[in-house]
Amino acid sequence: MRTIYDLNLKQMEEMLGTLGQKPYRAKQLYTWLYRKHVLSFDEMSDLPAALIAQLKESFCIMPLKLVEKQVAKDLTTKYLFELTDGSTVETVLMHFSFGESVCVTSQVGCNMSCAFCASGLLKKQRDLTSGEITGQIMFIQKELDEVEKRVDNVVVMGTGEPFDNYDNVLSFCSTINSDHGLAIGARHITISTCGVVPKIKEFAKGHYQYNLAISLHAPYDELRRQLMPIDQAYPLDVLMSALKEYSENNNRRLTFEYILLKGVNDHDKDAIALADLIRGMNAYVNLIPYNEVDENGFRTCDTKTALHFYDVLMKHGVKATLRTRHGEDIDAACGQLRARHERTKA
Ligand code: SAH
């Protein structure tokens, strides 16, 4: 059964119109769902009983069931959810000084086949609907209600390639961003893509205020192609010119994600080439310590090398940050989602 979270405000108004209801009912429903966080239609006490009965016939509210929850030493929490068709997805909650951050999954499996990533070990089975992505936020928000906290930041960086499920991901963002809903500020929402150029161009034209992060991981095509097959379809010059177009159309700072892989992309020459590639852009590099995955041979680069790489970038005129790890001990860190569950199932 479809979840009501799938409907953005306009779609909600349309749906209610087909049931002979006035448009203001949509805002009432939105308030129940996203302000009061109710999980049953029966609680919506200002809606007519007949409407509640109709809604119950066509929609569920929460499309996810919790299968397993693990809490790491740093309190990062990993949720394994089952969808209504039996597929499973993972979501991660991280506690930062700047607030509660949720990393959502956008697809069941992933087709991008990045060599270092554990999420893509399972090929894409299907896209998540926008409501299934919203459900991940609402499930966690419901838990945070107990401690009077709210989801402050959202990153679309779980399993899947968001720009391979563009419409649903953008619809999800508009639902959680809506003033009538959770009202999570656009600047607190980040979409990360491996570089699906046509969608980057579409995104640029939409003038969205969401943050855009690009998984770069190598400053030249020879290497990037080995790590990320998407580079064959959209090589670096094509990617960079789309990003320049984005920057010209939107006054937003871009993030480049760069995983440091020992002996692969962590040399001085790599840092210099990376700096040459992005110098002058309104952008910074987020250096990511690699979380090792059993199924491939990549290793984490040591802290000394990471700090040196950071220094070389800064010296060559490019701003960078070094990401800290979260939830490593429970396999919740980037790229490790779900793989362990699949292994234990097998
Ligand atoms: N498909 C999107 C979003 C999911 S991946 C993308 O490619 O951006 C989110 C980030 O985690 C990406 O930068 C990805 O390259 C990185 N990542 C994947 N596996 C990782 C691993 N094992 N260790 C650290 N980062 C990883």
Side-chain angles (χ1 to χ4, degrees):
M1 191 184 260
R2 200 169 173 209
T3 164
I4 191 122
Y5 292 146
D6 277 338
L7 307 183
N8 60 34
L9 199 56
K10 195 165 158 275
Q11 292 166 332
M12 194 88 87
E13 283 174 2
E14 284 162 10
M15 179 274 292
L16 289 163
T18 64
L19 298 178
Q21 298 288 338
K22 294 259 156 47
Y24 76 90
R25 293 273 184 220
K27 283 193 187 117
Q28 280 181 316
L29 248 159
Y30 241 60
T31 303
W32 285 112
L33 294 172
Y34 301 115
R35 292 276 170 88
K36 301 188 177 161
H37 312 157
V38 305
L39 293 177
S40 96
F41 292 110
D42 290 321
E43 286 175 70
M44 302 182 176
S45 52
D46 55 2
L47 299 188
L51 174 59
I52 289 180
Q54 284 171 316
L55 291 172
K56 283 205 297 202
E57 251 170 54
S58 311
F59 299 100
C60 67
I61 298 182
M62 179 51 71
L64 315 162
K65 261 198 327 224
L66 182 67
V67 179
E68 196 187 327
K69 182 169 146 181
Q70 279 182 294
V71 184
K73 290 193 201 92
D74 64 5
L75 298 183
T76 293
T77 305
K78 180 175 73 172
Y79 300 80
L80 182 71
F81 293 120
E82 189 178 293
L83 303 170
T84 47
D85 69 348
S87 314
T88 52
V89 294
E90 286 183 87
T91 310
V92 181
L93 168 66
M94 291 161 286
H95 311 278
F96 291 115
S97 54
F98 51 85
E100 304 299 307
S101 298
V102 177
C103 175
V104 293
T105 280
S106 58
Q107 296 178 318
V108 181
C110 182
N111 274 346
M112 298 299 130
S113 303
C114 296
F116 47 81
C117 180
S119 296
L121 291 173
L122 174 81
K123 289 290 135 250
K124 178 172 111 176
Q125 315 286 301
R126 69 172 176 91
D127 290 328
L128 292 198
T129 68
S130 70
E132 287 171 330
I133 312 175
T134 304
Q136 298 169 55
I137 301 293
M138 294 314 297
F139 189 100
I140 291 173
Q141 181 56 61
K142 200 70 193 160
E143 287 198 349
L144 291 176
D145 286 348
E146 307 280 312
V147 288
E148 291 179 22
K149 286 191 170 166
R150 52 170 276 149
V151 175
D152 300 292
N153 306 287
V154 172
V155 295
V156 190
M157 289 191 190
T159 303
E161 167 49 47
F163 279 2
D164 184 38
N165 184 16
Y166 186 86
D167 292 344
N168 291 347
V169 166
L170 268 287
S171 169
F172 153 72
C173 292
S174 102
T175 299
I176 62 168
N177 176 235
S178 164
D179 284 342
H180 299 286
L182 290 173
I184 298 174
R187 288 164 187 233
H188 293 262
I189 300 172
T190 302
I191 304 174
S192 174
T193 176
C194 65
V196 183
V197 167
K199 294 299 171 190
I200 293 174
K201 290 187 171 172
E202 195 174 332
F203 186 76
K205 289 202 186 87
H207 299 290
Y208 298 104
Q209 294 297 301
Y210 312 124
N211 303 308
L212 183 61
I214 308 293
S215 296
L216 200 65
H217 309 323
Y220 359 77
D221 287 313
E222 306 86 274
L223 179 59
R224 194 163 188 267
R225 212 156 278 184
Q226 287 169 28
L227 298 174
M228 307 174 71
I230 188 82
D231 189 85
Q232 281 160 25
Y234 308 111
L236 280 171
D237 57 343
V238 175
L239 175 63
M240 297 313 284
S241 86
L243 293 174
K244 283 183 184 138
E245 199 179 308
Y246 169 81
S247 289
E248 279 156 23
N249 283 312
N250 299 273
N251 190 23
R252 308 280 300 124
R253 189 166 70 154
L254 274 171
T255 305
F256 285 101
E257 295 161 280
Y258 193 97
I259 306 175
L260 289 164
L261 299 163
K262 191 185 178 85
V264 176
N265 66 355
D266 62 348
H267 310 99
D268 281 20
K269 68 171 181 11
D270 304 324
I272 294 166
L274 178 59
D276 288 345
L277 192 66
I278 68 176
R279 193 180 306 110
M281 290 177 79
N282 183 14
Y284 77 102
V285 177
N286 191 359
L287 295 171
I288 308 176
Y290 181 58
N291 297 302
E292 293 180 5
V293 176
D294 289 349
E295 282 78 356
N296 63 47
F298 295 108
R299 290 288 157 257
T300 312
C301 100
D302 55 74
T303 311
K304 210 175 132 213
T305 311
L307 286 171
H308 178 70
F309 196 96
Y310 170 91
D311 282 343
V312 177
L313 276 181
M314 298 288 269
K315 254 185 226 138
H316 285 81
V318 167
K319 285 202 185 70
T321 53
L322 204 51
R323 189 189 282 180
T324 48
R325 290 168 194 271
H326 294 276
E328 213 186 351
D329 51 313
I330 56 164
D331 276 357
C334 322
Q336 298 182 319
L337 295 182
R338 204 194 141 99
R340 195 183 57 85
H341 176 68
E342 289 303 314
R343 279 201 295 274
T344 46
K345 256 192 358 194

